Amino acid sequence: MESNDTNLIGLIKSGNKQAFDEVFLKHFKSLHAYAFTIIKEKDDAEEIVQNVFVRIWTKRAQLKTDGFLKPFLYRSVHNESLNYLKHQKVRSNFNVHYADAVKNDTGNLNTEIMATELEKNIHSAINELPEKCRNVFQLSRFDQMKYQEIADALNISIKTVENQMGKALKILRLRVVDFLILIFILLK
């Protein structure tokens, strides 16, 4: 058998297509069955065996089989199958990572959009407050002034500042409550 293998290998190395076809036809089914036992997918096993034979033909001049063709073919199919499985695992990990990244990016984008919309609604609601109420609210929340400081600055009583702040907060709550409910629904 070794002598026959050595002759076939020599013929393949010299570019003899008929010798190559003979080896392909003789070993394809058993190599396909072997690849199938490793990767458990018929079409992919067939592609693996075909890849091995294509590589043998394209690199026939560098073919090194140590005179034994059958073990060389099985080792080649085995290595190609393992490479296929590694590639599938990498592809699967990438797909999981990519899906997570897209999900996170989409979630971040949704959060940013919702925050922007909430901010617009709040500013719109603030602008619609009665002028005295709006002034008190802005001095308290944006300028960080205490109620006594607001009362002194606007020349009004502290009780008026408290009433105006209560009124402003009540109006703002009513104005943005629908939007906040929508945000909570979307976040769930």
Side-chain angles (χ1 to χ4, degrees), residues 144-176:
Q144 307 290 315
M145 292 175 73
K146 295 184 173 137
Y147 284 9
Q148 184 61 55
E149 295 171 328
I150 297 170
D152 294 342
L154 297 178
N155 202 21
I156 57 176
S157 74
I158 207 166
K159 190 71 174 160
T160 304
V161 171
E162 289 172 356
N163 288 338
Q164 292 299 322
M165 276 301 293
K167 182 178 179 181
L169 292 173
K170 183 178 180 183
I171 292 171
L172 290 175
R173 254 187 249 113
L174 291 173
R175 180 73 162 65
V176 296

Short mmCIF file of all heavy atoms in Angstrom, two decimals, residues 144-176:
data_model
loop_
_atom_site.label_atom_id
_atom_site.label_comp_id
_atom_site.label_asym_id
_atom_site.label_seq_id
_atom_site.Cartn_x
_atom_site.Cartn_y
_atom_site.Cartn_z
N GLN A 144 -29.76 78.23 43.34
CA GLN A 144 -29.48 77.61 44.64
C GLN A 144 -29.67 78.58 45.82
O GLN A 144 -28.96 78.51 46.81
CB GLN A 144 -28.05 77.04 44.68
CG GLN A 144 -27.69 76.10 43.55
CD GLN A 144 -28.43 74.77 43.66
OE1 GLN A 144 -28.49 74.19 44.74
NE2 GLN A 144 -28.99 74.30 42.57
N MET A 145 -30.63 79.47 45.69
CA MET A 145 -30.88 80.43 46.77
C MET A 145 -31.83 79.83 47.79
O MET A 145 -32.73 79.06 47.45
CB MET A 145 -31.48 81.73 46.19
CG MET A 145 -30.50 82.53 45.34
SD MET A 145 -31.25 83.98 44.55
CE MET A 145 -31.43 85.07 45.95
N LYS A 146 -31.65 80.22 49.04
CA LYS A 146 -32.53 79.79 50.12
C LYS A 146 -33.78 80.66 50.08
O LYS A 146 -33.79 81.76 49.52
CB LYS A 146 -31.81 79.94 51.47
CG LYS A 146 -30.62 78.99 51.56
CD LYS A 146 -29.99 79.09 52.92
CE LYS A 146 -28.99 78.06 53.02
NZ LYS A 146 -27.90 77.79 53.38
N TYR A 147 -34.85 80.15 50.72
CA TYR A 147 -36.12 80.87 50.69
C TYR A 147 -35.98 82.30 51.23
O TYR A 147 -36.55 83.23 50.69
CB TYR A 147 -37.18 80.11 51.48
CG TYR A 147 -37.75 78.89 50.77
CD1 TYR A 147 -37.21 78.41 49.59
CD2 TYR A 147 -38.86 78.24 51.29
CE1 TYR A 147 -37.73 77.32 48.94
CE2 TYR A 147 -39.39 77.13 50.65
CZ TYR A 147 -38.83 76.67 49.47
OH TYR A 147 -39.37 75.58 48.83
N GLN A 148 -35.22 82.47 52.30
CA GLN A 148 -35.05 83.81 52.89
C GLN A 148 -34.34 84.73 51.90
O GLN A 148 -34.72 85.90 51.76
CB GLN A 148 -34.25 83.73 54.20
CG GLN A 148 -34.12 85.06 54.93
CD GLN A 148 -35.47 85.64 55.34
OE1 GLN A 148 -36.25 84.98 56.02
NE2 GLN A 148 -35.76 86.87 54.89
N GLU A 149 -33.34 84.20 51.18
CA GLU A 149 -32.61 85.00 50.20
C GLU A 149 -33.53 85.41 49.04
O GLU A 149 -33.47 86.54 48.55
CB GLU A 149 -31.41 84.22 49.64
CG GLU A 149 -30.34 83.91 50.66
CD GLU A 149 -29.26 82.95 50.16
OE1 GLU A 149 -29.59 82.07 49.32
OE2 GLU A 149 -28.11 83.10 50.60
N ILE A 150 -34.41 84.49 48.64
CA ILE A 150 -35.37 84.79 47.56
C ILE A 150 -36.33 85.88 48.03
O ILE A 150 -36.62 86.84 47.29
CB ILE A 150 -36.14 83.52 47.13
CG1 ILE A 150 -35.17 82.48 46.54
CG2 ILE A 150 -37.23 83.87 46.13
CD1 ILE A 150 -35.77 81.11 46.30
N ALA A 151 -36.82 85.73 49.26
CA ALA A 151 -37.75 86.71 49.81
C ALA A 151 -37.11 88.09 49.84
O ALA A 151 -37.75 89.10 49.46
CB ALA A 151 -38.20 86.28 51.21
N ASP A 152 -35.85 88.15 50.28
CA ASP A 152 -35.14 89.44 50.34
C ASP A 152 -34.92 90.01 48.94
O ASP A 152 -35.09 91.21 48.72
CB ASP A 152 -33.81 89.28 51.07
CG ASP A 152 -33.97 88.94 52.55
OD1 ASP A 152 -35.08 89.16 53.08
OD2 ASP A 152 -32.99 88.42 53.14
N ALA A 153 -34.52 89.14 47.99
CA ALA A 153 -34.22 89.59 46.63
C ALA A 153 -35.46 90.11 45.92
O ALA A 153 -35.40 91.10 45.17
CB ALA A 153 -33.59 88.47 45.82
N LEU A 154 -36.61 89.46 46.13
CA LEU A 154 -37.84 89.86 45.43
C LEU A 154 -38.71 90.80 46.27
O LEU A 154 -39.78 91.21 45.81
CB LEU A 154 -38.63 88.61 45.03
CG LEU A 154 -37.96 87.66 44.04
CD1 LEU A 154 -38.84 86.44 43.77
CD2 LEU A 154 -37.65 88.36 42.72
N ASN A 155 -38.25 91.06 47.48
CA ASN A 155 -38.98 91.94 48.39
C ASN A 155 -40.40 91.42 48.65
O ASN A 155 -41.39 92.14 48.52
CB ASN A 155 -39.00 93.38 47.85
CG ASN A 155 -39.25 94.39 48.94
OD1 ASN A 155 -39.03 94.12 50.13
ND2 ASN A 155 -39.71 95.57 48.53
N ILE A 156 -40.45 90.09 48.98
CA ILE A 156 -41.72 89.44 49.33
C ILE A 156 -41.49 88.67 50.63
O ILE A 156 -40.36 88.46 51.06
CB ILE A 156 -42.24 88.50 48.21
CG1 ILE A 156 -41.18 87.43 47.86
CG2 ILE A 156 -42.65 89.28 46.97
CD1 ILE A 156 -41.64 86.42 46.83
N SER A 157 -42.59 88.19 51.21
CA SER A 157 -42.45 87.44 52.47
C SER A 157 -41.98 86.02 52.18
O SER A 157 -42.17 85.49 51.08
CB SER A 157 -43.79 87.42 53.23
OG SER A 157 -44.69 86.53 52.59
N ILE A 158 -41.42 85.41 53.20
CA ILE A 158 -40.95 84.02 53.09
C ILE A 158 -42.13 83.08 52.84
O ILE A 158 -42.01 82.09 52.14
CB ILE A 158 -40.12 83.62 54.32
CG1 ILE A 158 -39.13 82.53 53.94
CG2 ILE A 158 -40.97 83.13 55.44
CD1 ILE A 158 -38.05 82.30 54.98
N LYS A 159 -43.31 83.45 53.42
CA LYS A 159 -44.52 82.64 53.23
C LYS A 159 -44.95 82.67 51.76
O LYS A 159 -45.36 81.65 51.21
CB LYS A 159 -45.63 83.20 54.13
CG LYS A 159 -46.82 82.31 54.21
CD LYS A 159 -46.50 81.06 55.00
CE LYS A 159 -47.76 80.25 55.21
NZ LYS A 159 -47.51 78.89 55.53
N THR A 160 -44.79 83.79 51.12
CA THR A 160 -45.12 83.92 49.69
C THR A 160 -44.17 83.05 48.86
O THR A 160 -44.58 82.38 47.91
CB THR A 160 -45.06 85.39 49.24
OG1 THR A 160 -45.92 86.17 50.04
CG2 THR A 160 -45.44 85.53 47.78
N VAL A 161 -42.89 83.04 49.23
CA VAL A 161 -41.90 82.20 48.54
C VAL A 161 -42.31 80.73 48.67
O VAL A 161 -42.33 79.98 47.69
CB VAL A 161 -40.48 82.42 49.10
CG1 VAL A 161 -39.50 81.40 48.52
CG2 VAL A 161 -40.01 83.83 48.82
N GLU A 162 -42.69 80.31 49.87
CA GLU A 162 -43.11 78.91 50.10
C GLU A 162 -44.34 78.58 49.27
O GLU A 162 -44.41 77.50 48.65
CB GLU A 162 -43.40 78.69 51.59
CG GLU A 162 -42.16 78.71 52.45
CD GLU A 162 -42.49 78.69 53.94
OE1 GLU A 162 -43.68 78.73 54.33
OE2 GLU A 162 -41.53 78.65 54.74
N ASN A 163 -45.31 79.48 49.25
CA ASN A 163 -46.54 79.24 48.47
C ASN A 163 -46.24 79.15 46.97
O ASN A 163 -46.78 78.29 46.27
CB ASN A 163 -47.56 80.35 48.74
CG ASN A 163 -48.17 80.25 50.12
OD1 ASN A 163 -48.17 79.20 50.75
ND2 ASN A 163 -48.69 81.38 50.61
N GLN A 164 -45.39 80.06 46.48
CA GLN A 164 -45.05 80.07 45.05
C GLN A 164 -44.28 78.80 44.66
O GLN A 164 -44.50 78.24 43.59
CB GLN A 164 -44.25 81.33 44.69
CG GLN A 164 -45.03 82.61 44.77
CD GLN A 164 -46.21 82.62 43.81
OE1 GLN A 164 -46.14 82.14 42.69
NE2 GLN A 164 -47.33 83.17 44.26
N MET A 165 -43.37 78.35 45.54
CA MET A 165 -42.62 77.10 45.27
C MET A 165 -43.56 75.91 45.26
O MET A 165 -43.47 75.03 44.39
CB MET A 165 -41.53 76.88 46.33
CG MET A 165 -40.24 77.61 46.04
SD MET A 165 -39.48 77.16 44.47
CE MET A 165 -39.02 75.47 44.78
N GLY A 166 -44.48 75.84 46.21
CA GLY A 166 -45.46 74.76 46.25
C GLY A 166 -46.30 74.73 44.99
O GLY A 166 -46.55 73.66 44.41
N LYS A 167 -46.74 75.91 44.56
CA LYS A 167 -47.54 76.03 43.34
C LYS A 167 -46.73 75.57 42.12
O LYS A 167 -47.21 74.82 41.27
CB LYS A 167 -47.99 77.48 43.19
CG LYS A 167 -48.86 77.75 42.00
CD LYS A 167 -49.27 79.22 41.99
CE LYS A 167 -50.13 79.56 40.80
NZ LYS A 167 -50.49 80.98 40.79
N ALA A 168 -45.46 76.02 42.04
CA ALA A 168 -44.60 75.66 40.90
C ALA A 168 -44.38 74.15 40.84
O ALA A 168 -44.50 73.53 39.78
CB ALA A 168 -43.25 76.39 41.02
N LEU A 169 -44.08 73.56 41.98
CA LEU A 169 -43.83 72.10 42.01
C LEU A 169 -45.08 71.31 41.65
O LEU A 169 -44.99 70.31 40.93
CB LEU A 169 -43.29 71.69 43.39
CG LEU A 169 -41.88 72.20 43.71
CD1 LEU A 169 -41.51 71.88 45.15
CD2 LEU A 169 -40.85 71.60 42.75
N LYS A 170 -46.22 71.77 42.10
CA LYS A 170 -47.48 71.09 41.78
C LYS A 170 -47.76 71.15 40.28
O LYS A 170 -48.09 70.14 39.65
CB LYS A 170 -48.63 71.73 42.57
CG LYS A 170 -49.96 71.06 42.35
CD LYS A 170 -51.04 71.71 43.19
CE LYS A 170 -52.37 71.02 42.95
NZ LYS A 170 -53.46 71.65 43.68
N ILE A 171 -47.59 72.33 39.70
CA ILE A 171 -47.82 72.49 38.25
C ILE A 171 -46.83 71.64 37.44
O ILE A 171 -47.22 70.96 36.49
CB ILE A 171 -47.72 73.98 37.85
CG1 ILE A 171 -48.88 74.76 38.45
CG2 ILE A 171 -47.68 74.14 36.33
CD1 ILE A 171 -48.76 76.29 38.29
N LEU A 172 -45.57 71.67 37.85
CA LEU A 172 -44.54 70.89 37.13
C LEU A 172 -44.82 69.39 37.21
O LEU A 172 -44.68 68.67 36.23
CB LEU A 172 -43.15 71.21 37.66
CG LEU A 172 -42.62 72.60 37.34
CD1 LEU A 172 -41.28 72.83 38.02
CD2 LEU A 172 -42.50 72.80 35.84
N ARG A 173 -45.21 68.93 38.42
CA ARG A 173 -45.54 67.51 38.58
C ARG A 173 -46.66 67.10 37.64
O ARG A 173 -46.58 66.07 36.97
CB ARG A 173 -45.95 67.22 40.03
CG ARG A 173 -44.89 66.50 40.80
CD ARG A 173 -45.39 66.08 42.18
NE ARG A 173 -44.68 66.87 43.17
CZ ARG A 173 -45.22 67.78 43.97
NH1 ARG A 173 -46.50 68.01 43.97
NH2 ARG A 173 -44.47 68.46 44.80
N LEU A 174 -47.70 67.89 37.60
CA LEU A 174 -48.84 67.59 36.72
C LEU A 174 -48.44 67.63 35.25
O LEU A 174 -48.92 66.83 34.44
CB LEU A 174 -49.99 68.58 36.97
CG LEU A 174 -50.69 68.45 38.33
CD1 LEU A 174 -51.69 69.58 38.52
CD2 LEU A 174 -51.39 67.09 38.44
N ARG A 175 -47.56 68.56 34.91
CA ARG A 175 -47.15 68.76 33.51
C ARG A 175 -46.28 67.61 32.99
O ARG A 175 -46.39 67.22 31.84
CB ARG A 175 -46.41 70.09 33.41
CG ARG A 175 -45.92 70.46 32.05
CD ARG A 175 -47.08 70.89 31.14
NE ARG A 175 -46.69 71.64 29.99
CZ ARG A 175 -45.95 71.18 28.99
NH1 ARG A 175 -45.48 69.98 29.00
NH2 ARG A 175 -45.67 71.95 27.97
N VAL A 176 -45.41 67.05 33.85
CA VAL A 176 -44.48 66.02 33.36
C VAL A 176 -44.87 64.60 33.80
O VAL A 176 -44.21 63.64 33.42
CB VAL A 176 -43.02 66.32 33.80
CG1 VAL A 176 -42.53 67.59 33.18
CG2 VAL A 176 -42.86 66.31 35.29
#
